Amino acid sequence: MRRLGLGIVVGWLVCACLSPAFCAAADKLPEIVDARIGFGGYFKVGHWVPIELTILGGTRPAVGRVSVLLPDGSDLQTFYHSRPERPLSFAPNQPTKTVLLARLGRLIDGFPAEIALADSRKVIPQRADLDRMPSGNSLSLADGHRLHLMLGGAIGLPANADETLPYQLVSLASVAELPTSALAYDGVDTLAITTSDAKRFQLLQGDTARLDALESWIHAGGHLILGVGSAAQELLGPQGVFARFAPGKLVDVETLASGAALEEYSGTTHRIAPSGRGESVDLRVPRFDRVEGIIEVSADGLPLVIRSPRGFGRITFVACDLDTRPLSAWAGRAALVRKLFHEPADKEAQSADAVGNNLYGYSDLTSQLNANLDEFPGVSVVPFWIVAVLILGYVVLIGPGDFFFVKHVLRRMEFTWLTFPAIVVTVSLGAYFAATWLKGSQLRLNQVDIVDVDSASGHVRGGSWIKLFSPNTDDYTLSLQPQGIAAGSTTPSTTFSWLGVPGQAWRGMNTPSAGADLLERRYDTSPQLDAVHDVPIDVWSSRGFQATWQSQHDQLDAGRLRIAAEGSLAGNVTNVAGVALDDCFLAYDRWAYKLDRIEPGATIEIKPGQQRDGLEMLLKKYEQIQSNKFSSVVNQARPFDVEDPRVPPVVRMMMFHQAAGGPAYSTLHHGQATWTDLSAHLRLGRAVLVGEAPRDHQAAQLQRDGQPLNATDSQRWTFYRIVVPVDLGTRASASTSGAKRD
């Protein structure tokens, strides 16, 4: 019997050792060996950023997905997952690269991750310590700083190595570093491409994913600077990779003898050196037919700098090679490039010292909007001094008060075993009912929507900022569904995520993460990035969310406008929002036409010479004051109030921040929702009709578990902006004479 028992044990051990589970445990499993956040190791907190992971396969082939765990704007951990319909294949001992899109709400030096294997259903925990990875640590840009990408040869813009300038320039090594998703560009302010070496762009031939992503980003609000000179026939011809971004139909490539126009445009006294054949600089310049956009500088009938609106974004086309001679050796090139990027000179870049100098430590317009959305009707906040007095009274009550009562009134000290818990229970119940009375027992919602409609292209985009107040501790699965014209004629592409506070103030996103909270709470962002699952909200607390969406509309006729006498507008505009709009005005260039209320579908005529006001005066709320110095009444701008609890003034400043003077006026950055600022379009042959919808109107519906959220006392603010093209006549047309033709 002993031998039989021993044989059974040995047989069981042999079978266990040969089992797939035992072998799998002994196998080497896939692991993350490198991680990189953003572009060139730079990114912006609060924005969608690409996270590139390199995963080394194990000893056996495997298929699975990867997830990363990152802090949100409240330092709560949230999962981001790779797409389940696109499983990753891990070849044995071979690296696999994948890119996830995620948002960082805090500064981190590493993050947890998981690799889930489909065949064995095994989840492999990982830890990506960025400072130990081959790609090195990733750096977040300071609040309000801009991120510029450069593809091609150097163009003379300083890379800000000493971090004294308000931007960071990152050079991409190849076209392979261009994202395949438009959302990956979310934190990018400008992408500049120079093309003197046309061979480096051959990989883009047929790579529709990267080109489509770039085009979608531009239409959503991005800025592309494209410099094409000698390689125009190859890159801008009918089959050229950048033909879709050309400002017109390419006719020919010609030689420009003089660089005087660029010298004057750059504002420098430096001359472009001749090429060696007399006084000619021999610039190779493409000629276009039917140029669309604003020609800022031309020479001999050849447009040299053209700024064109594309959807809600824009393209700055430079018709020469900035990265080769003669411009690469020109001392004035840096001034020209700064003008193309809209970057000020070095000394001017340091002039925004007043940003963030306010009572609440706000540094961005979205910080103020976030705070204003935290004001819920029916929810009272108890001042701190009252809380302090009540705590002191409670201490006195359970201490000296209880002692005096049992000793001098009851004269039985042992009764404290009854009085003490009775005081605690009574005070606790009183605090609970008082809090219920002050905070309420209803779910409450505050929501701001901005809906933009481009009548020329039919492109529709929108953004929502949401605060949800929960009367009890609960988990929420939330998403957003655009409604009406905001949804477009096609299925809208939506992103939904958390809302954070920019800056280094308390709870600001530019502060280090504390890691997982004590309860180790976490939630999920859907792989499609359009919903959040099981977000915890504590009792009588609020949590913020934000969403964006893009869609396309088939037919949108918002009117016709043209330039009349003295630069005024003439024509008509139509309210295509599908809802009445109040407090309307039509903005163009530096002017604003007040239109009051416009009914849905109504058309308003703009007559030549019609009364107009300065847009800056409208945004800054100019008021007349008595001047002691001049003994007369003068107009003076009202300072922007960063403590104003109203929502509409903040939203209007977001919509035209640069037109109002930018941070010099508002004392706030506008880096978290830069796309909302349409100031640049006003100078590109576009007029913008602005109006606010009634408070009961829903442009985008917040949903819980796929159903409309039922919230009490909801507050909504919905703003529509309808972009209408303006016929500029000869202003955008280029002459076709005078250049030397090769």
Side-chain angles (χ1 to χ4, degrees):
M1 291 297 292
R2 290 182 179 180
R3 291 182 179 180
L4 179 60
L6 181 60
I8 293 175
V9 172
V10 171
W12 181 85
L13 290 174
V14 170
C15 292
C17 291
L18 294 177
S19 68
F22 183 88
C23 294
D27 286 343
K28 178 185 175 183
L29 299 173
E31 63 174 333
I32 296 175
V33 295
D34 195 13
R36 184 174 62 177
I37 301 176
F39 297 90
Y42 290 94
F43 67 95
K44 293 180 183 178
V45 292
H47 290 264
W48 292 100
V49 297
I51 299 180
E52 183 183 79
L53 301 176
T54 302
I55 303 172
L56 184 65
T59 55
R60 297 184 177 212
V63 175
R65 62 182 179 88
V66 64
S67 306
V68 297
L69 189 63
L70 300 171
D72 69 1
S74 301
D75 209 11
L76 195 62
Q77 303 294 308
T78 177
F79 271 113
Y80 297 90
H81 309 280
S82 60
R83 301 289 289 262
E85 68 272 18
R86 304 171 190 167
L88 303 174
S89 297
F90 307 117
N93 300 312
Q94 296 296 317
T96 298
K97 290 184 180 292
T98 185
V99 176
L100 276 69
L101 293 175
R103 296 178 68 216
L104 278 164
R106 285 292 193 276
L107 304 182
I108 60 173
D109 55 12
F111 54 87
E114 293 180 353
I115 301 175
L117 302 182
D119 49 358
S120 63
R121 297 185 179 180
K122 179 185 287 292
V123 176
I124 310 167
Q126 301 280 293
R127 171 74 189 180
D129 292 315
L130 298 176
D131 55 351
R132 298 180 181 179
M133 294 291 173
S135 294
N137 210 342
S138 297
L139 302 176
S140 170
L141 298 186
D143 184 36
H145 282 211
R146 295 171 290 279
L147 177 60
H148 302 315
L149 302 184
M150 178 69 222
L151 178 60
I155 56 175
L157 188 69
N160 195 24
D162 56 0
E163 300 183 359
T164 59
L165 299 175
Y167 67 85
Q168 184 64 48
L169 179 67
V170 175
S171 295
L172 304 181
S174 69
V175 296
E177 294 190 22
L178 291 176
T180 57
S181 169
L183 193 59
Y185 287 103
D186 184 47
V188 176
D189 292 275
T190 305
L191 169 63
I193 300 177
T194 57
T195 61
S196 61
D197 182 9
K199 293 182 179 179
R200 75 163 64 216
F201 302 102
Q202 290 178 351
L203 292 177
L204 284 178
Q205 198 73 42
D207 191 347
T208 57
R210 286 180 168 81
L211 291 173
D212 290 347
L214 177 57
E215 186 175 27
S216 297
W217 169 66
I218 296 171
H219 277 267
H223 180 205
L224 171 66
I225 298 177
L226 180 60
V228 184
S230 57
Q233 292 284 11
E234 182 177 352
L235 297 177
L236 301 180
Q239 304 302 321
V241 294
F242 295 130
R244 66 175 80 181
F245 305 121
K249 181 181 179 182
L250 180 67
V251 176
D252 202 352
V253 180
E254 305 180 12
T255 299
L256 184 66
S258 173
L262 287 177
E263 295 165 0
E264 181 180 357
Y265 177 74
S266 66
T268 70
T269 58
H270 301 287
R271 298 290 305 276
I272 301 175
S275 62
R277 295 182 294 172
E279 294 297 319
S280 176
V281 298
D282 292 341
L283 275 177
R284 299 289 288 161
V285 178
R287 178 182 293 278
F288 297 98
D289 187 23
R290 297 189 298 274
V291 172
E292 297 182 359
I294 302 297
I295 301 174
E296 293 198 343
V297 59
S298 63
D300 294 343
L302 290 172
L304 298 179
V305 177
I306 308 167
R307 296 193 189 268
S308 307
R310 294 293 179 95
F312 301 107
R314 61 196 192 277
I315 296 177
T316 300
F317 185 86
V318 185
C320 54
D321 293 322
L322 293 170
D323 55 335
T324 59
R325 286 181 176 273
L327 295 186
S328 61
W330 177 36
R333 183 179 64 163
L336 170 64
V337 172
R338 280 200 302 267
K339 193 166 185 177
L340 298 175
F341 277 86
H342 293 294
E343 287 293 350
D346 298 352
K347 293 182 180 179
E348 299 175 33
Q350 310 300 323
S351 63
D353 295 333
V355 171
N357 292 338
N358 53 72
L359 178 63
Y360 298 102
Y362 299 153
S363 62
D364 193 277
L365 285 168
T366 55
S367 301
Q368 185 176 0
L369 180 63
N370 191 347
N372 292 358
L373 288 176
D374 241 345
E375 300 293 330
F376 295 90
V379 177
S380 302
V381 179
V382 181
F384 175 77
W385 69 269
I386 294 181
V387 176
V389 169
L390 291 175
I391 292 175
L392 180 62
Y394 177 61
V395 172
V396 171
L397 188 62
I398 63 174
D402 182 48
F403 177 80
F404 180 85
F405 182 72
V406 298
K407 182 176 176 111
H408 298 285
V409 177
L410 300 180
R411 301 180 184 275
R412 297 279 300 270
M413 295 297 294
E414 60 271 21
F415 278 4
T416 190
W417 291 101
L418 298 176
T419 58
F420 182 84
I423 293 173
V424 172
V425 171
T426 302
V427 171
S428 299
L429 289 174
Y432 173 79
F433 287 113
T436 303
W437 178 67
L438 291 170
K439 305 287 187 180
S441 58
Q442 302 296 325
L443 186 66
R444 301 177 188 273
L445 170 70
N446 287 342
Q447 180 172 332
V448 170
D449 298 321
I450 295 179
V451 181
D452 292 334
V453 179
D454 180 34
S455 61
S457 64
H459 192 66
V460 180
R461 71 173 183 183
S464 298
W465 294 263
I466 300 163
K467 274 298 182 74
L468 190 63
F469 177 85
S470 179
N472 46 55
T473 300
D474 204 350
D475 294 337
Y476 294 83
T477 294
L478 302 172
S479 59
L480 196 76
Q481 181 62 48
Q483 307 284 314
I485 193 173
S489 304
T490 59
T491 302
S493 172
T494 307
T495 66
F496 191 89
S497 186
W498 46 266
L499 176 64
V501 178
Q504 296 180 332
W506 181 65
R507 297 178 65 187
M509 293 189 292
N510 288 85
T511 56
S513 172
D517 66 355
L518 295 177
L519 300 178
E520 295 188 352
R521 297 179 299 177
R522 54 188 61 175
Y523 63 96
D524 286 275
T525 299
S526 69
Q528 294 77 22
L529 309 180
D530 59 355
V532 290
H533 298 273
D534 299 324
V535 182
I537 304 181
D538 295 328
V539 61
W540 297 318
S541 299
S542 65
R543 187 171 292 278
F545 304 92
Q546 70 179 54
T548 59
W549 66 88
Q550 312 278 337
S551 61
Q552 194 69 27
H553 212 286
D554 291 337
Q555 294 181 344
L556 286 174
D557 185 3
R560 300 287 187 273
L561 292 170
R562 60 180 175 83
I563 296 295
E566 298 181 355
S568 64
L569 289 178
N572 57 76
V573 291
T574 302
N575 176 11
V576 296
V579 64
L581 299 178
D582 292 310
D583 298 326
C584 295
F585 66 91
L586 181 67
Y588 175 72
D589 198 12
R590 54 192 180 90
W591 303 104
Y593 299 79
K594 294 183 180 179
L595 304 177
D596 298 325
R597 180 182 177 90
I598 305 179
E599 297 296 330
T603 298
I604 302 296
E605 182 181 3
I606 307 296
K607 300 179 180 179
Q610 182 171 326
Q611 174 66 36
R612 57 182 179 174
D613 299 311
L615 177 60
E616 184 177 347
M617 295 184 65
L618 177 67
L619 296 172
K620 292 184 176 181
K621 303 292 183 182
Y622 271 69
E623 54 189 1
Q624 293 185 336
I625 64 170
Q626 183 68 38
S627 173
N628 296 327
K629 182 177 181 180
F630 299 103
S631 300
S632 62
V633 176
V634 297
N635 289 324
Q636 179 173 306
R638 187 182 303 172
F640 183 71
D641 187 1
V642 298
E643 300 172 17
D644 189 345
R646 297 174 299 162
V647 167
V650 183
V651 175
R652 292 205 173 191
M653 187 55 55
M654 292 171 62
M655 292 193 292
F656 298 103
H657 189 230
Q658 288 302 320
Y665 170 67
S666 67
T667 71
L668 295 173
H669 293 301
H670 192 16
Q672 280 298 312
T674 313
W675 64 268
T676 61
D677 191 351
L678 284 179
S679 300
H681 273 58
L682 302 180
R683 301 185 296 272
L684 297 178
R686 293 291 187 266
V688 181
L689 175 63
V690 183
E692 183 178 357
R695 293 294 173 84
D696 59 350
H697 175 70
Q698 290 189 60
Q701 185 182 76
L702 184 65
Q703 297 188 336
R704 182 181 186 184
D705 298 322
Q707 300 297 322
L709 182 76
N710 184 19
T712 304
D713 294 332
S714 298
Q715 293 188 110
R716 289 186 175 88
W717 298 266
T718 304
F719 299 86
Y720 283 89
R721 296 187 296 183
I722 303 170
V723 181
V724 183
V726 178
D727 185 359
L728 302 176
T730 60
R731 185 181 175 191
S733 300
S735 174
T736 58
S737 63
K740 175 184 175 183
R741 183 180 300 273
D742 285 358

